[in-house]
Amino acid sequence: MLNSLHKIEGVGEENMLKCFHYDGCSFEQAIKRWKIIPGVIDSSDSYTLRTIINESHTNCFALRELDLFGEYEMRGNGSFFVGVIYSGEGNMSVEGETYSFTQGDEIFFLAAIERVTFKSELGARIFLCYPPL
């Protein structure tokens, strides 16, 4: 049993609210300032790989989108990453093993993985989330 209650200190309400912009602007100005337009990294008849958020936006993480309608092989970059299956289904080959995936799956890939091959006959959209590089 606890003899006393301990208050958990946070950043405080004033500091927390400092992270927001309170400048007014029109919708058009907001779009011009903050809209992120995905860029195509690589594309073929079987896939399109886009960058959504990258080092030009933040140094905290990166986000890519893989539209898959066939096969795509990606090589590791020495860092872990997470794949989130946004839609569709298929399978992936990793280190000689094959695993299936479907919408809603979240997959953690170890940094030691050198190659992953994604395949989908019906189509899939996969978000690839990376830590700071």
Side-chain angles (χ1 to χ4, degrees):
M1 186 166 166
L2 294 174
N3 292 334
S4 63
L5 296 176
H6 297 282
K7 183 178 178 184
I8 298 174
E9 296 294 325
V11 295
E13 187 174 330
E14 278 188 44
N15 285 331
M16 181 180 65
L17 295 175
K18 288 180 183 177
C19 71
F20 295 103
H21 292 276
Y22 295 98
D23 304 334
C25 65
S26 70
F27 178 76
E28 292 78 17
Q29 290 170 321
I31 292 295
K32 187 175 179 179
R33 283 186 200 171
W34 296 299
K35 182 177 180 179
I36 295 174
I37 299 171
V40 174
I41 297 172
D42 195 11
S43 184
S44 78
D45 291 340
S46 299
Y47 64 87
T48 301
L49 180 64
R50 294 179 189 88
T51 180
I52 306 294
I53 298 174
N54 57 50
E55 64 277 351
S56 69
H57 304 108
T58 181
N59 62 358
C60 297
F61 66 97
L63 178 66
R64 292 180 176 177
E65 175 187 57
L66 175 62
D67 279 329
L68 183 64
F69 24 90
E71 182 175 316
Y72 176 71
E73 180 181 282
M74 66 183 279
R75 297 191 181 270
N77 64 1
S79 178
F80 72 88
F81 66 98
V82 175
V84 178
I85 312 305
Y86 181 77
S87 64
E89 60 185 43
N91 63 62
M92 60 186 169
S93 299
V94 181
E95 307 285 326
E97 297 288 329
T98 300
Y99 306 93
S100 63
F101 61 79
T102 190
Q103 181 177 343
D105 287 349
E106 298 172 354
I107 307 156
F108 182 87
F109 293 89
L110 300 173
I113 293 174
E114 294 180 13
R115 184 176 317 181
V116 179
T117 302
F118 293 99
K119 294 180 185 177
S120 179
E121 294 180 18
L122 302 175
R125 177 169 285 162
I126 304 168
F127 288 115
L128 303 167
C129 311
Y130 297 91
L133 298 176

